[in-house]
């Protein structure tokens, strides 16, 4: 009740424009939407917030929300960098066994281009599939609401079953939800299906983030081959650079997820760095061994 009172005081204009407040006061999807300056209606259509009028408190809150990085971008960047730091490094190390720097550089650049395009397309298709899945869930849930109210009532009761609420309270909530189809649809999507409206531009953002992450991560092990003419010397430099890079990446990746302060987080970050070095070393060693085995057989 206190939150509702503060909301009415801080956002009087919004209360008059929207007399029926949706069931959810604030969800993870709305946090995601505020970062991009847009919102979604119940059916996932993108709505711009440029024309909305909010108070000074709302503006400062929106600014702080936009300052946070979208977790999906962080996830895509980590995935792209992780693959980029291991696969091209293993390839360049394997090609070094042939003893030709030009082969390493050309083969590495070709793999970078192909891998970045593949990762970008994969991210685009994946995000599009998520949006299509969300739209399909909306259609199926709306059809169920229109055709079988008893089934939707059972879904609401099933959602609240783990919380041990009394039957009278659950029945009151069920009745109130079924008084509005839009509110019921929003509830079922959020709490029963646990799905949120995707960002309008998520497919393109994922594609660009994955492609850039892969290309940047994969270009690092090739740098010594542009500087040093001797392929074996360049390989040693590449191993050294990648050892530091993989450890730093593993440490930073782990601390982004767990946090930066505290002994446990520091130890976990170090262990994450060691794991990345181990994975990169195993991949590079396997590539070198395979190339030498095939080259020796011929």
């Amino acid at each position: 009740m206190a939150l509702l009172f503060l909301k009415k005081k801080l956002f009087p204009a919004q209360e008059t424009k929207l007399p029926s407040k949706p069931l959810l006061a604030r969800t993870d999807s709305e946090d995601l939407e505020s970062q991009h300056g847009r919102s979604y209606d119940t059916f996932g259509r993108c709505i711009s917030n440029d024309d909305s009028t909010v108070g000074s408190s709302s503006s400062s809150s929106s600014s702080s929300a936009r300052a946070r990085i979208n977790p999906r971008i962080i996830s895509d960047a980590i995935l792209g960098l992780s693959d980029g730091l291991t696969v091209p490094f293993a390839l360049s190390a394997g090609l070094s066994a042939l003893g030709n720097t030009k082969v390493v550089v050309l083969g590495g650049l070709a793999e970078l281009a192909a891998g970045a395009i593949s990762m970008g397309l994969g991210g685009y298709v994946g995000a599009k599939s998520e949006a299509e899945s969300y739209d399909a869930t909306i259609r199926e849930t709306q059809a169920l609401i229109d055709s079988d109210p008893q089934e939707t009532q059972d879904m609401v009761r099933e959602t609240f079953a783990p919380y041990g609420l009394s039957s009278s309270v659950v029945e009151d909530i069920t009745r109130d939800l079924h008084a509005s189809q839009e509110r019921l649809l929003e509830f079922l999507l959020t709490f029963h299906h646990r799905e949120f409206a995707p960002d309008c531009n998520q497919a393109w953002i994922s594609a660009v983030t994955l492609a850039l992450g892969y290309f940047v991560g994969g270009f690092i092990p090739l740098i010594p081959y542009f500087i040093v003419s001797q392929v074996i010397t360049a390989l040693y430099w590449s191993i050294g650079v990648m050892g530091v890079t993989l450890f730093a990446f593993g440490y930073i990746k782990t601390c982004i997820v767990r946090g930066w302060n505290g002994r446990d987080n520091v130890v976990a970050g170090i262990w994450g760095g060691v794991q990345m070095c181990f994975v990169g070393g195993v991949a590079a060693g396997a590539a070198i061994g395979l190339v030498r085995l095939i080259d020796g057989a011929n």
Side-chain angles (χ1 to χ4, degrees):
M1 294 300 293
L3 292 176
L4 291 175
F5 174 78
L6 291 174
K7 188 173 183 298
K8 290 178 181 179
K9 291 297 183 182
L10 294 174
F11 307 99
Q14 289 185 343
E15 290 296 330
T16 55
K17 289 175 64 178
L18 300 174
S20 59
K21 177 65 180 173
L23 176 67
L24 306 176
R26 188 76 173 170
T27 64
D28 293 339
S29 60
E30 292 175 34
D31 286 335
L32 191 62
E33 293 156 9
S34 63
Q35 297 170 12
H36 299 279
R38 57 178 68 87
S39 61
Y40 298 84
D41 62 7
T42 303
F43 299 96
R45 292 184 291 267
C46 183
I47 302 174
S48 175
N49 293 334
D50 295 337
D51 298 332
S52 60
T53 58
V54 295
S56 58
S57 299
S58 177
S59 299
S60 60
S61 176
S62 299
S63 298
S64 62
R66 284 192 295 269
R68 296 195 299 268
I69 300 177
N70 185 342
R72 180 62 180 271
I73 296 178
I74 296 177
S75 175
D76 290 338
I78 289 176
L79 179 60
L81 283 171
S82 179
D83 282 0
L85 288 172
T86 52
V87 177
F89 172 52
L91 175 66
S92 61
L95 292 177
S96 297
L98 299 177
N100 192 326
T101 304
K102 184 177 181 180
V103 171
V104 176
V105 172
L106 293 180
L109 291 177
E111 197 282 333
L112 273 183
I117 293 174
S118 177
M119 292 288 289
L121 288 176
Y124 181 86
V125 172
K128 278 293 185 180
S129 299
E130 291 179 7
E132 292 171 358
S133 174
Y134 180 78
D135 292 338
T137 303
I138 289 178
R139 292 193 299 269
E140 294 172 359
T141 306
Q142 184 63 59
L144 189 63
I145 292 173
D146 296 335
S147 62
D148 195 349
Q150 183 61 44
E151 178 65 21
T152 57
Q153 292 177 11
D154 293 339
M155 292 168 67
V156 173
R157 296 189 187 98
E158 179 184 344
T159 302
F160 285 106
Y163 301 99
L165 299 177
S166 64
S167 58
S168 59
V169 172
V170 175
E171 290 302 324
D172 290 341
I173 296 175
T174 303
R175 183 176 59 256
D176 290 343
L177 286 174
H178 281 75
S180 169
Q181 285 195 1
E182 183 177 353
R183 186 166 53 189
L184 177 61
L185 177 62
E186 183 180 3
F187 174 85
L188 292 177
L189 288 173
T190 305
F191 291 100
H192 185 77
H193 297 292
R194 299 184 183 276
E195 293 194 19
F196 302 98
D199 186 0
C200 296
N201 299 317
Q202 186 58 57
W204 289 107
I205 293 174
S206 292
V208 172
T209 304
L210 284 166
L212 285 179
Y214 188 90
F215 189 87
V216 170
F219 189 77
I220 294 176
L222 290 179
I223 294 176
Y225 295 95
F226 288 98
I227 301 174
V228 181
S229 58
Q230 294 294 326
V231 65
I232 299 301
T233 304
L235 174 61
Y236 292 153
W237 274 102
S238 179
I239 292 174
V241 169
M242 288 306 298
V244 175
T245 305
L246 287 170
F247 181 86
F249 174 74
Y251 184 90
I252 294 172
K253 173 179 66 69
T254 304
C255 289
I256 287 177
V257 176
R258 292 178 55 96
W260 299 89
N261 299 324
R263 182 176 180 274
D264 292 340
N265 293 335
V266 172
V267 172
I270 293 174
W271 178 241
V274 172
Q275 286 180 321
M276 285 299 302
C277 290
F278 177 77
V279 171
V282 169
I288 293 175
L290 182 62
V291 170
R292 288 184 174 178
L293 179 63
I294 295 174
D295 187 53
N298 294 331

